[in-house]
Amino acid sequence: MPDNPHPTPGTAQDAAKPQDSTTALRILLVEDNAINQTVAVRLLEKQGYRVRVARNGREALAALEKDRFDLVLMDLQMPEMDGFEATRAIRQEEQGTDRHLPIIAMTAHAMKGDREKCLAAGMDDYLSKPIQKEKLFETVAEHASRRSGLPLSGAPAGGPSPAARSAESATGGVIDLAAALEHLDGDLELLAEGAGMFLEDCPVMMSAVQQAVEQKDSTALMRAAHSLKGSLATFAARPAVAAALRLELMGRQGSLVQADAACRELEAAVERLKPALADLAKRFTP
């Protein structure tokens, strides 16, 4: 594992350059979740794209003032400035010019009407998380080719390695390993790296959820549960994802009557998940 597995906001994450380095697509990834950052950067770099990370809308606008990008992948729910506000600011700057920067929205477990809301806000397309690699590559290539005339590039062939197949029994049923690896282009080392990151970040994320429940803060609960759910989805940990989604919806709807019980359900699901993630991190991290 590299010394700093978390992509550094504001620093270009350069991939191995394609044959013609002048055609390498420059992508701004706007995402506050460290695990989602790592996954998206690694997948995009494998395609030969150059990726820079911003943790929220304000950092994204600052990056766009300094550098040129060919496309933006924009998370919706972020602290300080969300994806909708950042997109509106970008489109306002473009008014009266011939510029139009492609912006692709990304969000976990899309709600009804989210796609329409994104398009109305000025975004060009929409991806749901956890990211499906084929859909990610297809969407990025489509908008890149429209903007710059670059040729479309297909998703690389891949699949579970023998090591990945041997790891299936170690997950104890709390992780759908095949589904998780499908999202990650069969990269077991990337999954193991994400597992280690989650175990490191989990206490802080769970504390945020628990504190929001204790204080009956609907907005804080929605945000904390959404962030945790986004990390859990990387591992196709369906029981834990479902428990986090339940709390997110409670926060979104402002109805916390059953939040204590739902929080206990989430705690139990995460505790069942931890040993499997620890085993993955131990066995398959380089």
Side-chain angles (χ1 to χ4, degrees):
M1 183 185 297
D3 293 336
N4 180 14
H6 294 60
T8 304
T11 301
Q13 306 289 325
D14 289 333
K17 294 182 179 180
Q19 291 181 350
D20 180 2
S21 62
T22 63
T23 65
L25 193 74
R26 292 175 57 84
I27 296 175
L28 179 61
L29 173 67
V30 191
E31 168 67 67
D32 67 317
N33 184 293
I35 294 176
N36 290 339
Q37 289 173 5
T38 298
V39 168
V41 168
R42 189 74 58 83
L43 291 176
L44 291 165
E45 286 181 341
K46 282 185 175 182
Q47 291 293 90
Y49 299 136
R50 291 189 291 167
V51 187
R52 181 168 172 174
V53 174
R55 293 174 297 187
N56 55 56
R58 293 192 188 281
E59 289 189 4
L61 295 180
L64 289 168
E65 286 182 359
K66 296 178 180 179
D67 295 306
R68 180 189 63 81
F69 295 91
D70 299 295
L71 183 142
V72 176
L73 292 171
M74 183 78 75
D75 189 26
L76 297 185
Q77 295 190 32
M78 295 177 290
E80 296 190 37
M81 179 185 285
D82 65 22
F84 292 109
E85 188 177 355
T87 298
R88 286 192 290 268
I90 293 168
R91 295 301 181 228
Q92 185 173 0
E93 285 292 321
E94 293 174 341
Q95 287 184 3
T97 74
D98 60 356
R99 300 194 311 271
H100 181 88
L101 179 63
I103 301 174
I104 301 172
M106 301 190 304
T107 189
H109 289 277
M111 303 297 174
K112 184 177 180 180
D114 276 357
R115 180 180 180 84
E116 292 73 16
K117 187 177 179 182
C118 289
L119 297 178
M123 299 176 186
D124 298 276
D125 216 325
Y126 182 94
L127 291 170
S128 60
K129 295 189 287 188
I131 295 297
Q132 304 287 331
K133 70 178 189 302
E134 291 90 352
K135 185 63 176 176
L136 171 65
F137 297 154
E138 175 187 321
T139 303
V140 167
E142 177 185 352
H143 288 280
S145 64
R146 290 178 185 175
R147 176 175 173 82
S148 61
L150 295 177
L152 291 171
S153 58
S161 64
R165 289 191 292 270
S166 73
E168 183 72 48
S169 61
T171 64
V174 296
I175 297 173
D176 185 338
L177 188 62
L181 287 173
E182 176 64 21
H183 298 157
L184 302 181
D185 197 28
D187 192 332
L188 183 58
E189 290 184 359
L190 178 55
L191 183 66
E193 182 179 337
M197 291 171 61
F198 178 83
L199 292 171
E200 179 182 341
D201 296 342
C202 183
V204 174
M205 291 190 289
M206 282 299 303
S207 177
V209 171
Q210 292 160 343
Q211 184 174 354
V213 170
E214 291 171 0
Q215 296 179 353
K216 303 187 184 305
D217 187 331
S218 297
T219 300
L221 177 59
M222 178 184 68
R223 291 174 177 169
H226 177 85
S227 179
L228 178 60
K229 179 193 66 183
S231 294
L232 291 166
T234 300
F235 311 105
R238 293 190 175 92
V241 169
L245 176 59
R246 184 183 177 196
L247 281 164
E248 180 187 356
L249 291 175
M250 288 180 180
R252 185 185 294 263
Q253 297 163 0
S255 176
L256 305 187
V257 176
Q258 300 181 27
D260 287 330
C263 189
R264 290 193 294 272
E265 178 185 344
L266 174 62
E267 291 166 353
V270 169
E271 286 304 312
R272 289 193 296 270
L273 177 64
K274 284 181 179 179
L277 294 181
D279 185 71
L280 284 174
K282 180 179 179 179
R283 292 172 58 185
F284 299 106
T285 299

